[in-house]
Amino acid sequence: MRFVLDNSRLDFAASLDSMLAAADVPRVSRALAAGDTGPVRRLFRSLAALGVTGLAIDADHDGVGADPVDMVVAMERLGRWAVPGPLVESIAVVPVLLTHTTFDRRDSWLTALESGELIASSALPPSMPRAADPGVADLLFLVENGNVRTAVVDAAVQSVDPSRTLAHLRASDTVSALADGAEVVLSLNGSLACAAQLAGAGRALLDTTVEYAKSRRQFGRSIGTFQAVQHALADVAIEMEMARPLLMGAALSVGSGSVDARRDVSAAKVACTDAAYRASRTALQVHGAIGYTRECDLSLWIGMVHALRSAWGTPSAHRRIVLESL
């Protein structure tokens, strides 16, 4: 099967690239790492203007009601630019969560999420036992045993990504029953969006490293002419290319309600995680000592990849799902 995006999706991706290129995302990430949430909140409002925050929200709440392929396109670009914040949770998971609940304020929350004025995060054990970036989120949800509760932070934990924080949540008294089968849908959406984010980050690492290899000179020539460097980058490129059909296939599988959706999403999450992780290791090796410094923007992508490896299901958990399906 050949996956080719139509012109409308290519234009959507180009619009995101243009906006994020002007947004100085590395500055936003560093501000968030220092505790300043203002820049990332403004960035969410810019994403809302392009319809990103409303992708999983239906038209009744001013959303786009897009399909999973559109979500993958958006999350891939956000990963490509290393956009910080609870992207998977606020854009791909919480809107679907609210759609399947009966909270009194559900409609107003959905409208506020779509506008970018409200940012949310969630914990969904076991695939996502801790909520991401609670300091950015205005609203936190804990999903357990078929119920959804609003929640507060019980204990915060620093992530391997300096711009990211995780938190154990403590449920409040506000509760809503979750529709049958909704927990599986939430887990699929979270894992798929996270896989797309990893794919985008991996591609950014590869592109950045290729450009660096062209410009960095050693022994009188660019290091990109050394066969060992070429082979390492080629291995990353192959793995990224092999992961992409699995990612797009998983999006189509989820969109069609296929019985194999769980297997397909897990396969995509494993492939995108492995490819992005290889890209991060190779990028660090090729860049050398400068790649270890936080002053180098490369560290933003490397931190993101390492943080997202275990988000929305560890590689071993997703491999187990694929194995069981076989």
Side-chain angles (χ1 to χ4, degrees), residues 120-198:
S121 190
S122 60
L124 180 71
S127 59
M128 191 66 183
R130 293 173 290 191
D133 298 304
V136 179
D138 307 290
L139 196 57
L140 298 171
F141 293 100
L142 177 61
V143 182
E144 286 183 313
N145 302 319
N147 291 318
V148 183
R149 295 179 183 271
T150 54
V152 295
V153 174
D154 189 30
V157 181
Q158 185 59 50
S159 168
V160 293
D161 179 354
S163 69
R164 181 178 172 90
T165 306
L166 300 171
H168 296 282
L169 299 184
R170 184 176 69 253
S172 71
D173 294 331
T174 307
V175 62
S176 172
L178 200 58
D180 290 343
E183 276 193 58
V184 174
V185 174
L186 295 176
S187 182
L188 289 177
N189 283 12
S191 298
L192 180 64
C194 187
Q197 213 179 344
L198 281 161

Side-chain angles (χ1 to χ4, degrees), residues 210-285:
V210 167
E211 291 305 312
Y212 182 80
K214 290 178 182 177
S215 62
R216 172 71 187 275
R217 298 185 67 81
Q218 194 75 24
F219 306 113
R221 56 188 178 134
S222 69
I223 63 173
T225 62
F226 299 152
Q227 193 173 61
V229 174
Q230 292 175 351
H231 285 181
L233 292 172
D235 287 342
V236 174
I238 290 169
E239 197 159 350
M240 293 299 308
E241 287 301 312
M242 294 296 288
R244 191 171 187 277
L246 290 173
L247 178 63
M248 301 307 295
L252 293 173
S253 188
V254 171
S256 66
S258 169
V259 295
D260 295 323
R262 190 163 177 258
R263 178 204 65 189
D264 295 344
V265 169
S266 288
K269 179 63 163 59
V270 168
C272 291
T273 297
D274 287 353
Y277 185 59
R278 179 187 282 269
S280 72
R281 289 175 59 87
T282 302
L284 199 54
Q285 289 171 340

Side-chain angles (χ1 to χ4, degrees), residues 80-135:
R80 170 67 181 81
W81 291 94
V83 177
L87 300 170
V88 171
E89 294 76 17
S90 195
I91 297 173
V93 175
V94 171
V96 179
L97 179 154
L98 289 174
T99 302
H100 289 85
T101 59
T102 56
F103 284 109
D104 291 339
R105 298 183 59 191
R106 183 189 71 171
D107 291 347
S108 62
W109 283 339
L110 284 169
T111 301
L113 282 169
E114 186 280 330
S115 69
E117 295 300 322
L118 182 71
I119 300 175
S121 190
S122 60
L124 180 71
S127 59
M128 191 66 183
R130 293 173 290 191
D133 298 304

Side-chain angles (χ1 to χ4, degrees), residues 262-263 266 316-326:
R262 190 163 177 258
R263 178 204 65 189
S266 288
S316 60
H318 283 293
R319 282 189 170 89
R320 192 177 305 117
I321 290 171
V322 174
L323 179 61
E324 289 171 354
S325 73
L326 300 177

